[in-house]
């Protein structure tokens, strides 16, 4: 049997005991194979191949969530999209989008055909990691340990980059090239400020 409809509405493909609404099971082509087995294929096609399509076209997997208005409402999606309008080029990006409680999908992450990762804008650049937070002053990166201590790296405004420890700014980089250590508004190329007396800058030259 290849298709089972279980009492209660569960559908099984390749299994006689589906545990969810749709349960698909298949056997590996070889027990020693080193590549994944295709279990499910989603595809779209053109009604006519007479002209090139458009970049961004592709196949979407849409997730909807329960709520008290639209019920269900648009929640998120995973899209496989064309990167080039030329139909002779099949370069494909994988796009992850989420809804901001407005029934529309906003791109949150993109993996390009070249292996680059875009977070936020997901425009797909030549850099391996591109982060775009649309001008937000929220830290772009946070490294936190099991004790709850953390380092933040990100913008404090449109042009100022900061490194902070537990929300306290330690180093500030201005777009003018000025750097502040212990100060958030350096007035010279390098300004160092501490809360106690003692060495603030030590330069050692080994012979």
């Amino acid at each position: 049997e290849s298709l089972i409809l279980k009492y209660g509405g569960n559908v099984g493909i390749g299994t006689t005991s589906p545990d969810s609404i749709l349960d698909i099971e298949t056997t590996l082509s070889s027990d020693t194979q080193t590549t994944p087995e295709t279990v499910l294929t989603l595809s779209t096609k053109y009604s006519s191949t007479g002209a090139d399509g458009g970049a961004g076209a592709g196949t979407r997997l849409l997730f909807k969530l329960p709520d008290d208005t639209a019920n269900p409402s648009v929640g998120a999606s995973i899209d496989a999209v064309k990167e080039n309008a030329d139909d002779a080029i099949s370069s494909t990006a994988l796009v992850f989008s989420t809804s901001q409680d407005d029934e529309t999908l906003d791109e949150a992450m993109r993996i390009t055909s070249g292996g680059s990762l875009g977070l936020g804008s997901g425009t797909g650049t030549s850099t391996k990691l591109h982060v775009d937070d649309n001008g937000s002053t929220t830290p772009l990166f946070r490294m936190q340990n099991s004790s709850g201590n953390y380092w933040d790296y990100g913008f404090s405004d449109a042009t100022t980059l900061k490194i902070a420890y537990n929300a306290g700014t330690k180093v500030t980089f201005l777009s003018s090239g000025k750097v502040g250590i212990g100060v958030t508004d350096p007035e010279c190329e390098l300004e160092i400020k501490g809360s106690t007396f003692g060495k603030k800058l030590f330069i050692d030259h080994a012979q």
Side-chain angles (χ1 to χ4, degrees), residues 37-70:
E37 191 79 23
T38 300
V39 177
L40 178 66
T41 299
L42 303 176
S43 60
T44 52
K45 66 179 183 179
Y46 293 119
S47 58
S48 172
T49 58
D52 285 338
T59 304
R60 166 168 291 175
L61 181 61
L62 179 65
F63 301 90
K64 289 192 171 185
L65 304 176
D67 68 8
D68 59 2
T69 53

Side-chain angles (χ1 to χ4, degrees), residues 93-122:
L94 193 61
V95 178
F96 297 80
S97 300
T98 57
S99 172
Q100 304 296 320
D101 193 29
D102 56 7
E103 285 292 297
T104 60
L105 291 168
D106 302 307
E107 185 170 321
M109 182 174 75
R110 175 183 295 240
I111 304 173
T112 71
S113 61
S116 296
L117 175 63
L119 299 176
S121 66

Side-chain angles (χ1 to χ4, degrees), residues 24-41:
I24 304 175
E25 183 178 305
T26 189
T27 303
L28 292 174
S29 300
S30 170
D31 289 345
T32 59
Q33 70 187 62
T34 57
T35 55
E37 191 79 23
T38 300
V39 177
L40 178 66
T41 299

Side-chain angles (χ1 to χ4, degrees), residues 31-174:
D31 289 345
T32 59
Q33 70 187 62
T34 57
T35 55
E37 191 79 23
T38 300
V39 177
L40 178 66
T41 299
L42 303 176
S43 60
T44 52
K45 66 179 183 179
Y46 293 119
S47 58
S48 172
T49 58
D52 285 338
T59 304
R60 166 168 291 175
L61 181 61
L62 179 65
F63 301 90
K64 289 192 171 185
L65 304 176
D67 68 8
D68 59 2
T69 53
N71 195 31
S73 63
V74 173
S77 71
I78 302 175
D79 311 326
V81 301
K82 289 167 54 67
E83 290 184 321
N84 197 297
D86 188 341
D87 289 346
I89 301 175
S90 60
S91 298
T92 304
L94 193 61
V95 178
F96 297 80
S97 300
T98 57
S99 172
Q100 304 296 320
D101 193 29
D102 56 7
E103 285 292 297
T104 60
L105 291 168
D106 302 307
E107 185 170 321
M109 182 174 75
R110 175 183 295 240
I111 304 173
T112 71
S113 61
S116 296
L117 175 63
L119 299 176
S121 66
T123 53
T125 66
S126 58
T127 58
K128 285 301 179 183
L129 176 62
H130 179 109
V131 181
D132 187 341
D133 206 19
N134 296 321
S136 171
T137 58
T138 302
L140 298 181
F141 299 101
R142 172 168 292 185
M143 295 175 289
Q144 183 168 328
N145 61 25
S146 58
S147 298
N149 297 314
Y150 57 89
W151 283 94
D152 284 337
Y153 175 93
F155 291 99
S156 58
D157 58 41
T159 60
T160 303
L161 183 65
K162 70 175 182 179
I163 299 175
Y165 177 70
N166 288 346
T169 301
K170 302 301 180 182
V171 185
T172 301
F173 300 88
L174 302 184

